[in-house]
Amino acid sequence: GAVVSQHPSWVICKSGTSVKIECRSLDFQATTMFWYRQFPKQSLMLMATSNEGSKATYEQGVEKDKFLINHASLTLSTLTVTSAHPEDSSFYICSGTGAGGSHEQYFGPGTRLTVT
Amino acid sequence: AQSVTQPDIHITVSEGASLELRCNYSYGATPYLFWYVQSPGQGLQLLLKYFSGDTLVQGIKGFEAEFKRSQSSFNLRKPSVHWSDAAEYFCAVGPYSSASKIIFGSGTRLSIRP
C-alpha cells in the first residue's frame, strides 16, 4: 500500500516554456505533499510543502512564482516549472503523507526534467 | 540545529561481505528515523524506520539498523551484500507527531566489488 506515482517520468522541454509534473497518491489520501529537487550525486532538497486546499509553503530560496504548486485534491498535487531554463534541469521527487496516521512520507519515483 | 550526518560519501565492499553504513543525527524532539535506498534514476524506497520499541529494527532486503540514543546513531547493516545492493543510501530524521519535513543526510553511495 501507500503508492505514489509521478507523471511524466521524464520530460524534455525548450527554454522559456512551462512544464507540469503530476504527483498522485494511488491508494491513500495525501493530506500533505512535499516536493523535492535532487541534483546529480546529491541529497534531496525540499522545495515546498503543500496541504490540500491550501497554498504551498516554500522553503527559503525557492521561487514560488517559478515553481507553482497546486494541491487541489487529496490525491493530486502538481508542480509547474514556469519559463524553464537549463538550470532548472533536475530530478524532481514528490512525497505524500496521510496514510496510517504515522505521518511517514511515501515517495514517488521521480521526474527527470531536462531543459534545452 | 537539526541535522543528519552520513560521514561516508562512498563505500565499496565485496559481494558477500558485511556492510555497515553510518548515520548520526541531531534532533531536538524524539526522532523518527529512516533509511531509504535510491537506485540510479529512481525514487526513494523505504528500507526501514524506527520510532520506538526494540532498538534493532529489521527492514526489507535483509537490512537492519540499530538505534543508539547515547551515540545519536542509527547505523544500517547487512550481513552479506549482493551486487543488486549497489545504490545510494539516505538516512533521514523527522517528527513522528506531525506531517513535517524530513531532514536527509547527504547519502552514501555503495559500490559492490565482484
Side-chain angles (χ1 to χ4, degrees):
Chain A
V3 179
V4 175
S5 70
Q6 283 185 239
H7 179 79
S9 55
W10 59 271
V11 57
I12 301 173
C13 70
K14 292 187 176 181
S15 186
T17 63
S18 296
V19 61
K20 180 184 287 187
I21 301 170
E22 293 185 348
C23 175
R24 294 183 183 272
S25 56
L26 300 184
D27 53 3
F28 70 100
Q29 293 185 324
T31 52
T32 302
M33 284 187 167
F34 302 86
W35 285 95
Y36 296 85
R37 183 174 181 176
Q38 185 180 33
F39 292 102
K41 300 186 186 300
Q42 294 189 26
S43 188
L44 281 71
M45 181 190 77
L46 180 66
M47 300 174 66
T49 303
S50 72
N51 292 296
E52 184 263 340
S54 302
K55 287 185 178 181
T57 301
Y58 290 81
E59 294 298 301
Q60 191 172 7
V62 177
E63 299 175 61
K64 62 180 181 181
D65 294 330
K66 181 169 187 60
F67 298 99
L68 301 179
I69 292 172
N70 183 281
H71 191 171
S73 78
L74 286 171
T75 59
L76 174 64
S77 177
T78 60
L79 167 67
T80 302
V81 183
T82 62
S83 187
H85 289 95
E87 57 264 32
D88 298 324
S89 298
S90 192
F91 194 54
Y92 293 88
I93 302 175
C94 71
S95 71
T97 67
S102 71
H103 307 293
E104 175 185 333
Q105 291 188 28
Y106 300 93
F107 288 84
T111 296
R112 173 73 59 192
L113 170 63
T114 301
V115 184
T116 60
Chain B
Q2 300 173 342
S3 65
V4 177
T5 301
Q6 292 180 249
D8 304 306
I9 297 174
H10 183 204
I11 285 182
T12 300
V13 299
S14 297
E15 189 168 16
S18 63
L19 170 70
E20 182 169 32
L21 302 182
R22 296 183 291 168
C23 173
N24 292 94
Y25 67 90
S26 173
Y27 200 72
T30 303
Y32 195 5
L33 293 156
F34 307 87
W35 273 100
Y36 291 92
V37 60
Q38 184 181 34
S39 297
Q42 303 295 315
L44 272 68
Q45 182 181 23
L46 179 67
L47 287 175
L48 47 80
K49 60 187 177 183
Y50 173 81
F51 176 71
S52 64
D54 191 343
T55 56
L56 185 62
V57 184
Q58 301 298 320
I60 63 171
K61 304 185 178 186
F63 285 93
E64 66 179 25
E66 185 171 14
F67 171 66
K68 293 186 177 180
R69 185 184 300 277
S70 61
Q71 298 177 21
S72 297
S73 70
F74 189 56
N75 294 348
L76 182 72
R77 301 195 294 247
K78 186 169 184 177
S80 176
V81 298
H82 186 262
W83 64 267
S84 60
D85 293 324
E88 189 85 19
Y89 291 80
F90 293 98
C91 180
V93 63
Y96 185 84
S97 59
S98 66
S100 183
K101 58 184 178 181
I102 291 176
I103 300 169
F104 284 90
S106 54
T108 297
R109 183 162 60 96
L110 174 64
S111 297
I112 306 297
R113 190 184 301 118

